[in-house]
Amino acid sequence: MNPSPLSGPYPTRRTVLRAAATAGVALPLLSACVTGGDDDQDPAAGNTGAKSADNPLGVKADAPLEVVIFKGGYGDEYARQAETLYAQRYAGAKIDHQGIQKIGEALQPRFVANTPPDVVDNTGASRLDIATLVSARQVSDLSQLLDAPAYDDPGRTVRDTLLPGVVDDGTFDTVPLTLNFTYTVWGLWYSRPLFAGKGWTYPKSWDEMLALCATIKAAGIAPWTYQGKYPEYINDPLLGMAAKTGGPTLVKAVDNLEPNAWKAPGLLGAAEAFAELAGKGYIMSGSEALSHTEAQAAWSQGKAAFIPCGSWLESEQKGVTAPNFDMVMGPVPSRTSADTLKHTALQAASSESFLVPAKAKNPAGGMEYLRILFSKQSAKAFAQTAGTLPAVAGATDGLTLSSGLGSVRDAVQAAGTETFTYRFRTWYAPLAKAVDDATGELVNRRITAAQWSERIQKAADALAKDSTVKKYTR
C-alpha cells in the first residue's frame, strides 16, 4: 500500500500520526492568520441558543452548520451519519458537508480571512499545521464539550466516555483544543496459526522473547523483521519497553527535554536489549533495506515471526496476507521483573483530529456535532465500516471483529489505565529524526547502546537550548 494517508485508512506513522504538529508535513498558515483580536466582530453573534438539558451547548436550532471532513481511507459516510442525527435534533439547520483530501490547501485561505467552517477534520498529508493554529489562537477551547453530557449516555460527560489519553493528545498548554476520533496502539504482530502450530507462546518478558527467538531461528524462520527504511517502526517497541521500566516519570522526562533523560536506566536498558536482539542474529537479514510494504509482505509470507507496527497493520495488509494468516497483536514484553508498569501496558495514541475554529460562525453547532460524532452510536457504526478502534470506550462491544482488531481491542482492555505515549515526536521533529537515525544504527550493529544514548541526549540538549523553538511540557 502506498504510504500516503490519502490512500488507505491507516496512514503510516512517519507521515501523519505522530507528526501532527510538524510543518514539514502539515501546511503552515500564512502569517496573516495571526491578525484579528478581541475587538474584531464576533462571527458567531446571533448563532447561539438557550442552554437546556436537551441542548447543553446552547445550539441555535436553525443556525447553518458547515462540516469539512478529510475523505481518506475511512471515507466520510461516518461523518454524514452523524450529520443525519444532528439534523434530526435541529431540523431547521442547513448542513453544508464537504468531504475533501487536501484540507490545508482548501482551508488555509479561509483561516487567514477569519471565515473558517464550523468543524474541521484536520487530517491527511496536507492538513493545517496545528502548532500554528494554536499559537494564532485560531482554535476553540473544547472544555465545555468535554464537560457536557454524552449524547447517548447523559449520566456521564463526553470526557468520561473516551479512552485513556485521548483528551491529553489534544491538549496544548493545559487547554483541550482538538479531539481525536480514532485510537491507535502499537505492539508486536504475529500469526496465531503459526504460533499454535509450532507450540509457541507469546512472551511476557524479554528473557522469554530471546528464548523464543532462538527456537524460531532453529526452525528456519527469522524471529523479527522491521520496516528498515523507516526505523521509527522499531523505535516503538524499544521506547515502549523503556516506558514500562521507568513508567510515566521516564516518559515525561524525555518529552520535557530534561537533562540526561535519554541516559535513564530504562532507556539504556531497552537499547541494550535491542542491541542484543540484533547481535544474536534475530532480525531478518536485509531488513534495513526494506520499505514498510516490503517488510510487511515478507512477514505475511512467513519469512519472519514478529513485526512491530501500529494497529492499522491488518487493514494495510488486506489483499496481501493469506485469509488464514490470522494476524494478532501482543504488547511489548517487559524487560525486567521490577518494571514500573505491567507487561500488558500499551503505547497508545489517538488520531483523526477534529477541531472547532475560534472564528466559526456556529461554534456551538460545531461542538454539538462532535458530541454526536463521539457518541457510542456513531463510534460503533464507524468501527463496523472502518475496521479500527474509535476513541470512544465500549464502541466495539457486541461486534464481531477480525482477528487483528479483536486482539487490539483485547489488548486495550487488558491494559486498562496503563497506556502511555511520548509527545516529543509531535512537538520536536528534529529530535524525532535524531532518535530514528540512532535506532537504525543501533539495530544494525553500527553503534552501541551507550553511543545511542549519548547521541540522542546531545540532540535533545541542543534542542532544549534553542530559544527559537517553542517548548511544551507535560
Side-chain angles (χ1 to χ4, degrees), residues 168-444:
D168 287 344
D169 287 342
T171 297
F172 295 80
D173 290 336
T174 74
V175 181
L177 298 176
T178 66
L179 197 55
N180 297 345
F181 189 56
T182 64
Y183 200 70
T184 301
V185 301
W186 287 264
L188 302 178
W189 290 80
Y190 62 100
S191 167
R192 183 158 48 197
L194 171 65
F195 273 52
K198 298 289 188 181
W200 299 338
T201 300
Y202 188 84
K204 296 180 180 180
S205 72
W206 194 246
D207 286 342
E208 291 176 1
M209 168 62 79
L210 293 177
L212 177 58
C213 285
T215 301
I216 293 171
K217 187 175 181 180
I221 302 172
W224 282 57
T225 188
Y226 77 104
Q227 303 82 340
K229 288 185 177 179
Y230 311 106
E232 181 182 347
Y233 282 87
I234 203 164
N235 261 331
D236 289 321
L238 190 160
L239 295 181
M241 179 183 291
K244 290 185 181 186
T245 300
T249 299
L250 181 148
V251 175
K252 290 180 180 179
V254 164
D255 287 341
N256 292 342
L257 304 178
E258 292 182 10
N260 295 319
W262 287 92
K263 296 181 180 181
L267 279 160
L268 188 57
E272 290 170 347
F274 276 79
E276 184 178 10
L277 186 77
K280 289 180 178 293
Y282 292 158
I283 298 177
M284 187 178 77
S285 177
S287 291
E288 183 182 18
L290 300 180
S291 69
H292 72 294
T293 54
E294 291 168 338
Q296 291 161 195
W299 170 74
S300 294
Q301 294 161 8
K303 296 178 180 178
F306 291 108
I307 192 168
C309 201
S311 52
W312 63 82
L313 179 64
E314 184 179 41
S315 180
E316 197 164 67
Q317 290 304 101
K318 285 181 180 178
V320 178
T321 306
N324 61 350
F325 188 81
D326 281 351
M327 67 178 70
V328 290
M329 189 202 79
V332 176
S334 298
R335 190 178 64 86
T336 76
S337 59
D339 280 2
T340 301
L341 302 179
K342 297 190 292 289
H343 80 275
T344 52
L346 285 176
Q347 183 170 340
S350 54
S351 58
E352 200 79 12
S353 181
F354 283 79
L355 58 88
V356 174
K359 297 293 184 179
K361 290 183 179 179
N362 186 10
M367 292 192 196
E368 176 71 353
Y369 172 78
L370 292 182
R371 191 170 77 100
I372 294 170
L373 181 65
F374 282 78
S375 67
K376 184 175 286 189
Q377 177 181 349
S378 296
K380 179 169 286 191
F382 173 81
Q384 288 175 307
T385 59
T388 193
L389 281 183
V392 179
T396 58
D397 291 352
L399 300 181
T400 300
L401 304 178
S402 62
S403 62
L405 184 57
S407 71
V408 170
R409 186 268 316 273
D410 293 345
V412 170
Q413 291 179 343
T417 59
E418 285 199 342
T419 64
F420 57 88
T421 188
Y422 293 85
R423 303 292 295 276
F424 74 88
R425 184 169 297 280
T426 299
W427 291 344
Y428 311 117
L431 179 57
K433 186 178 187 306
V435 176
D436 293 348
D437 291 347
T439 300
E441 295 291 286
L442 176 75
V443 298
N444 286 285

